[in-house]
Amino acid sequence: MNDTNTTSFGFRDVPREEKQGLVRGVFDRSARRYDLMNDVMSLGIHRVWKDITITRARPKPGERLIDVAGGTGDLARAFIERSKRPGEKPATAIVADINEEMLRAGIKRGKADGIEWTVANAECLPFDDGSADCVMIGFGIRNVTERMQALREMHRVLRPGGRFLCLEFSRPVTRAIANIYDLWSFKAIPELGALIAKDRDSYQYLVESIRRFPHQEAFAAELREAGFGEVRVTNLSGGIAALHTGWRV
């Protein structure tokens, strides 16, 4: 089996056609405790990262967001809330996720005006060309099998002049931060997954998938190859996460 036939699933290489099902299994198992585990794994800092992302997105009344791999809808809810202006129609959002269990968990959190929930594959989005003012993906791109295809799809559905934001775990910028992060990731997070979510394996995969994801500048190069212009990178918490932004020009 050659490299073109395999892709990473954590530290393992698996046949490309198997990854989607394996990832779906991870999120089927973790959906019920997903939001709680995000708080535990990041010590709550993921909420700050998401707030920074929404601030950089600059939501405006009447805009349309497509939140790819949107899961339980944190970013979509915040985008709509931040767009509100007296007397004007707020933004709307589509939360698109391949995993139906994640969407169910988001819906169970309560009614969210202006959000449409759609089961969709990031590699083949069921939306018209240029139909979104903003496209986001938060902590989802590393789980995609054909990453470049997904990036091109997100570029396609973005209108000319529209903005793209990708929030993802990344590479710490100093050895000291990396050492602490590795200790927390490999020693604590899988055990917390076993204790809280009763699922050690899924959280072991999530930790490993972060290490297999390209570093900040390599991913920025992929965005440019997919067609995005004015690509910028902002390191968060010393590079533990990174916010990549771009535009459809």
Side-chain angles (χ1 to χ4, degrees):
M1 189 177 295
N2 60 47
D3 288 344
T4 61
N5 293 326
T6 62
T7 189
S8 65
F9 179 75
F11 286 162
R12 289 190 290 144
D13 289 328
V14 299
R16 303 189 81 84
E17 64 272 15
E18 292 183 10
K19 179 171 180 176
Q20 190 175 105
L22 291 169
V23 170
R24 182 180 290 113
V26 167
F27 288 97
D28 278 346
R29 293 190 299 271
S30 62
R32 188 170 60 90
R33 297 283 186 173
Y34 183 78
D35 291 324
L36 173 60
M37 281 299 298
N38 276 349
D39 280 329
V40 171
M41 288 189 300
S42 71
L43 304 177
I45 298 171
H46 77 102
R47 297 177 181 273
V48 176
W49 299 338
K50 289 174 181 175
D51 186 69
I52 291 169
T53 301
I54 296 300
T55 298
R56 289 285 295 277
R58 299 190 299 277
K60 299 179 182 64
E63 289 191 319
R64 188 191 199 205
L65 166 71
I66 297 178
D67 182 9
V68 180
T72 57
D74 280 0
L75 289 173
R77 293 171 194 269
F79 188 94
I80 291 172
E81 187 62 31
R82 196 76 64 88
S83 76
K84 291 179 178 178
R85 308 284 190 278
E88 298 188 68
K89 181 182 177 181
T92 59
I94 297 175
V95 177
D97 200 295
I98 198 170
N99 189 279
E100 189 172 355
E101 290 303 315
M102 291 294 291
L103 297 177
R104 290 180 189 276
I107 293 168
K108 285 179 181 178
R109 290 177 56 185
K111 184 178 178 181
D113 290 337
I115 294 183
E116 177 183 338
W117 307 84
T118 302
V119 177
N121 187 338
E123 299 168 23
C124 186
L125 295 172
F127 311 120
D128 292 338
D129 295 359
S131 57
D133 299 288
C134 183
V135 173
M136 291 185 189
I137 182 166
F139 304 116
I141 192 63
R142 74 182 188 281
N143 297 312
V144 172
T145 303
E146 303 292 346
R147 189 165 58 245
M148 185 55 64
Q149 175 63 23
L151 292 175
R152 288 182 174 133
E153 276 291 276
M154 288 185 274
H155 182 270
R156 177 185 66 79
V157 301
L158 198 58
R159 67 166 176 78
R163 53 214 186 273
F164 169 81
L165 300 96
C166 177
L167 176 63
E168 187 55 87
F169 290 108
S170 197
R171 304 291 178 86
V173 297
T174 70
R175 174 49 54 190
I177 296 174
N179 289 340
I180 295 170
Y181 183 46
D182 282 348
L183 186 64
W184 175 252
S185 296
F186 288 106
K187 298 297 183 182
I189 288 178
E191 298 307 321
L192 288 168
L195 179 66
I196 296 171
K198 312 304 180 188
D199 183 10
R200 188 186 193 284
D201 290 348
S202 291
Y203 289 92
Q204 182 70 36
Y205 157 74
L206 292 173
V207 169
E208 293 176 356
S209 69
I210 293 167
R211 299 313 190 278
R212 296 293 296 267
F213 190 71
H215 62 74
Q216 287 91 321
E217 290 307 319
F219 184 55
E222 291 185 2
L223 293 182
R224 295 184 185 101
E225 183 180 347
F228 292 102
E230 300 181 39
V231 175
R232 299 286 185 273
V233 183
T234 303
N235 285 314
L236 305 172
S237 301
I240 291 174
L243 175 61
H244 285 74
T245 60
W247 298 79
R248 180 172 178 180
V249 295

